[in-house]
């Protein structure tokens, strides 16, 4: 069976290296995956609007111009994705992560949510729309390996095994 | 021009009376609007899954069963809505509010976001997808009155007025 | 908040009175629900094609003509439904029930599956696409009452209750 | 006329080598086809959820977590497919096969159903949604060869042949 | 079970009274059906464009302006229909009937084709997309009665009848 | 044949009484039509954003807030419309009229364009997407009368007239 | 500006060499086009169903099985096409050509119709949905060359030419 | 993270070299972008219909045939685009630019509008649907560079920079 490529969008928290962990893990496993993400440089993400289109005296419009330019990237990449992974971290409100999850859900994209157990209750509506709720980046890699390659550690690949 | 009815979904914060303010305001203005909302009884919303379908020893599945039943209501009502209003309050994470906003955006529903200025930066991605960002429930009523009836306080209704 | 009407499609098993139980329960609760279902007269359902369009010597085409006419009804009513309930009973293969569940899932209709615990493993893919898995018709009524009216037995309706 | 590639999803029964027969047949015929399928290792398919995301004491949630991860794969591959083939075998309930057929039908994917004559009556609703009902894997290969290449054994390729 | 209304579009041949037969039959059976159709006045249908928007010296544009105005009606009514019935008669090319059938098929509308056996071979592609192929208007009425009311002559309505 | 109601959106020029002419004409003809339109009070349309949501020192954001609130109305009403009529007058750039026409075209709404012959060349791309190009409001009424009622002045209603 | 590839589906008449003319013309012009078409071997097209899936004593089902297999090909290739060309020739009913045109129209595919002037009146509804009505295959090649390359004989390529 | 290709459609004004500026800028930045545009040869764009399909004595139909052929190109390329840029210049009505913007908005394509400040008021409805409003072609290049590569002049690429 020919392998075809999968695209995975990594949304959410930008202050730890969870994206790198997933990308390194997928590469180590040789998975045919293309990753995409928002711009994770916090300053650039905040200022892109005014840096390119000119300054705004009002903070609201400063933010607005930047957020709209970021939306050009994020909306396009979510729409292209086969799978959307959304990470909620320990800090900040991260409403944009939940917002991306809502977009993914409405577009019927398979959704994997990644967060610690302490956020489980607050994220129950988001989790309820997900096909997997993981706690660690390596679990996301394991899901991708299973979903794309059909490989699961400890289960030899003999597809006609007895039940 | 015949008036037809508009449906408005009121998502988000459940601990203040902002929904009542909007509904009373719309009623006072005689607007042809039908309002919908999630179940706002916090306890019922948390427990509906286990109360109806049986108890779960694990808190995660307790939450999951409830959140999925709530989704039957919220997804249906958002999909039916002409306009989605999402309110972010002062307390709690409110990721479900941002999640609903994402769904509304992906479904191309006109989105009105309602929050205080202190949340403006954290909500910039959500605001960037909205057609109006209000701070007070009465502003939402004014928007509905203008959008549905074409009436704006201080502007007499003479549609061929000089430019 | 104005009540609007909900439409619920009742798919699956036709040899017990589960539909009547749900409809009676919903009526007793005063729910604004319209129910729909396939033709549940087994003989008519099998023979409608040849009875109307003429006999077929081959059993395969006898079945085919009937199944296609039944599809006019079932496809239309599923597409109109706000909620799809699928019941799996103790007898027969009931592939058409699972087929309807697949249609409902692909159309993003909220899905409630109704079956006994003995079928849980065999139905896990269908259950995984559902927003509720019930065992008794009265649970479906309770879900409808909660989802449509926001009422849950034992939870008084005070929407601003403390957390 | 340039050949472009076709993708075919092979859903259903996992205990015989019908997929291998079709894939070998297509390869022998030199057809430009990419095949996809669910994970066919029965044990891995059942246990993937708990193996990756952690154990569940309740069998229902054990199954649920696995079925949802499997859905990431199956939903994506069905959505990408040009043609969906669904095989019903002699054993087991195979509700997931019928469920996949429903998804394919709702997504307007051309559907080929593969089963023995003994299941014809029970599968009439599924067959009624199909564009071909085959009994043998080699017939599926013949359909693919005809549909993709326009080649039919015994019919020389002279497209302006007299009527 | 509450009856809801069905809309049926009657496309095709305009020189016999087949539409009247179906409408009278549905009325006699008390079916909750709304019928729609193209403008069946042949002259008005041909000339509406130039009569309203001004004459055209070229016959091609005379026809074009009329056909486009007719499309405002037919496209809207087909899109609204629950069921599309297409009648092919003995005379004329009736390409517009086949064109309407294609539109209905692409919109996933249940399609009933009505024609005599002499056209069966020429219409095989259209018939292959239909859920019923009838020869007489009364058969269409019988289908509507069965599909909407679940009533089939000779089959008493006892839905739990033994298999 | 039962009459059902049609909704018609009247987009574009706001400085002459063309909307009133069409509405009066439709009323005089007894057509079952509901009309909708943008807010035609020029000042209110320009200022609604700042009047409701607070002043903006920058003219660009003053306009932006108003235009987005107007979009809540116009997008909703265009999406609901069965037919979209777009009027181009003698003055102003009227880019919003062409923008509405583009939305209507992309949503596959039947489009009627209304303008004088002097704009024909500049509007050729818009006209090419329309199903009728009229010069006078009364022609729009005639089209509605024909499309909805099947009535055309000078053509008696005998639908089986000889060819 | 980078050239990307266009796919063109050639539907309709199968008894003249119009497809070859278009394909040769496009090749001579070096156009980046991939062509697709139904199976044009008349006998194979009629018999593919029974040849692969087994004989049918009834001619209607003989035709039906073949037409459904042909639909696997034609529906897929029309859905993939950027442009659909439909040719109506001098012989046969060609209802399938008009049917394909209806599918293309409903899918919003740009439609080019190709027929002689003697069929103009009978095809006015189909032509009214087309973006071009050509009489000769070479005109289709010219349209493709203009649409894809922007080249038009006699017009030198100087895009800033004076008006 | 693997780069994938983006397609950008450049709509609107055809009398200055703004397209060349953007294309050169993107090339200089090494962006993986494919650009598309309408035919920008004014004469060819006006005359393509009659040049290919034969002359029309009426100017309206001369224009109509050309505009429809142009629509084959523009509709296809807008539908394929990831981003649509619409330029309004100093001259002409440019209703087709606004029309394209409407199509892009309805298709949920990210929209960048490019115009001088003197048109801001007249374009407010179009701007309100855009994710960026630029004044200079180089700003569009900067947006593409940021959106696709995540690079913003003056912001070094250290994605985990402190907040």
């Amino acid at each position: 069976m020919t392998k075809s490529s999968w695209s995975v969008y990594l949304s959410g928290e930008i202050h730890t290296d969870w994206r790198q962990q997933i990308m390194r893990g997928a590469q180590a496993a040789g998975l045919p995956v293309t990753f995409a993400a928002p711009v994770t440089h916090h300053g650039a993400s905040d200022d892109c609007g005014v840096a390119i289109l000119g300054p705004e005296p009002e903070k609201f419009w400063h933010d607005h111009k930047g957020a709209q330019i970021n939306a050009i990237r994020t909306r396009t990449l979510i729409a292209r994705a086969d799978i959307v992974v959304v990470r909620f971290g320990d800090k900040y409100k991260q409403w944009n992560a939940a917002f991306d999850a809502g977009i993914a859900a409405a577009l019927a994209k398979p959704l994997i949510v990644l967060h610690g157990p302490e956020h489980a209750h607050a994220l129950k509506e988001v989790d309820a729309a997900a096909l997997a709720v993981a706690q660690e980046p390596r679990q996301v890699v394991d899901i991708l390996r299973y979903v794309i390659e059909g490989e699961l550690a400890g289960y030899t690949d003999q597809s006609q095994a007895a039940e």
Side-chain angles (χ1 to χ4, degrees), chain A:
Chain A
M1 223 164 289
T2 315
K3 280 189 210 177
S4 55
S5 181
W6 290 62
S7 58
V8 176
Y9 185 79
L10 304 172
S11 170
E13 192 232 5
I14 62 171
H15 300 93
T16 66
D17 70 340
W18 69 277
R19 282 187 185 83
Q20 283 67 33
Q21 291 183 47
I22 290 174
M23 290 189 282
R24 277 195 304 261
Q27 191 174 26
L31 302 182
V33 178
T34 304
F35 289 99
V39 171
T40 56
H41 187 299
H42 198 138
S45 173
D46 274 5
D47 298 342
C48 60
V50 295
I52 295 171
L53 297 173
E56 290 293 333
E58 299 278 346
K59 181 70 163 67
F60 183 84
W61 298 117
H62 176 116
D63 281 353
H64 187 76
K65 282 165 86 170
Q68 288 208 318
I69 287 182
N70 283 316
I72 298 175
R73 178 181 175 101
T74 58
R75 291 294 193 89
T76 303
L77 295 176
I78 291 175
R80 282 184 190 171
D82 293 307
I83 296 174
V84 174
V85 181
V86 183
R87 164 75 180 165
F88 293 85
D90 292 332
K91 294 190 293 189
Y92 310 109
K93 291 283 188 182
Q94 302 181 311
W95 282 321
N96 60 325
F99 181 70
D100 283 357
I103 291 171
L107 297 178
K109 302 283 176 186
L111 179 65
I112 300 173
V113 186
L114 179 59
H115 62 78
E118 69 279 15
H119 295 312
H121 185 65
L123 280 167
K124 66 191 165 77
E125 282 85 6
V126 178
D127 288 356
L131 289 178
V133 180
Q135 298 192 18
E136 301 295 337
R138 66 171 168 72
Q139 292 174 314
V140 176
V141 176
D142 287 348
I143 291 170
L144 294 177
R145 186 171 162 238
Y146 175 76
V147 163
I148 297 170
E149 304 290 3
E151 292 170 7
L152 185 65
Y155 291 76
T156 57
D157 188 15
Q158 36 180 186
S159 51
Q160 279 76 39
E163 205 179 64

